Amino acid sequence: MSADTDELRVWIDQDLCTGDGLCVQYAPEVFELDIDGLAYVKDHTGELLQAPGVRADVPRQLLLEVIDSAKECPGDCIHVERAADGVAVAGPLSSVE
């Protein structure tokens, strides 16, 4: 697998998050609901990343779970993009659904 096409990052638009928690069910290593009831991404150490638009790397073994969470999200607020060029591969800005 090539690093330029395989490495993904994910972020959540909290303005659109419904707090449904579906993403946490798909990939609890990547997503977490905070005390405000909204979902956030976590870094590789498990630390919650709360700055707006902050991106987290997607662990290779969770690529499908993270992409599925973006596709199934009721708030359509999860963005998955290629790390190399920022092109959306799943979520509201993706042309692949």
Side-chain angles (χ1 to χ4, degrees):
M1 290 195 200
S2 164
D4 3 334
T5 57
D6 193 42
E7 292 181 9
L8 300 179
R9 292 184 306 206
V10 61
W11 63 282
I12 296 176
D13 183 343
Q14 279 78 27
D15 290 338
L16 299 176
C17 180
T18 62
D20 184 78
L22 190 64
C23 56
V24 178
Q25 293 174 26
Y26 272 102
E29 302 89 344
V30 177
F31 303 106
E32 184 175 320
L33 291 177
D34 197 16
I35 194 164
D36 61 7
L38 301 178
Y40 293 86
V41 293
K42 298 190 285 187
D43 68 14
H44 69 282
T45 67
E47 182 178 338
L48 213 57
L49 304 176
Q50 295 177 301
V54 68
R55 276 110 168 112
D57 292 330
V58 177
R60 214 173 274 276
Q61 72 274 16
L62 295 172
L63 292 176
L64 293 178
E65 289 85 348
V66 170
I67 289 170
D68 285 346
S69 70
K71 289 180 178 178
E72 300 299 323
C73 176
D76 208 20
C77 66
I78 299 172
H79 300 263
V80 183
E81 62 191 21
R82 287 193 307 239
D85 57 12
V87 171
V89 296
L93 302 179
S94 168
S95 57
V96 182
E97 284 297 326

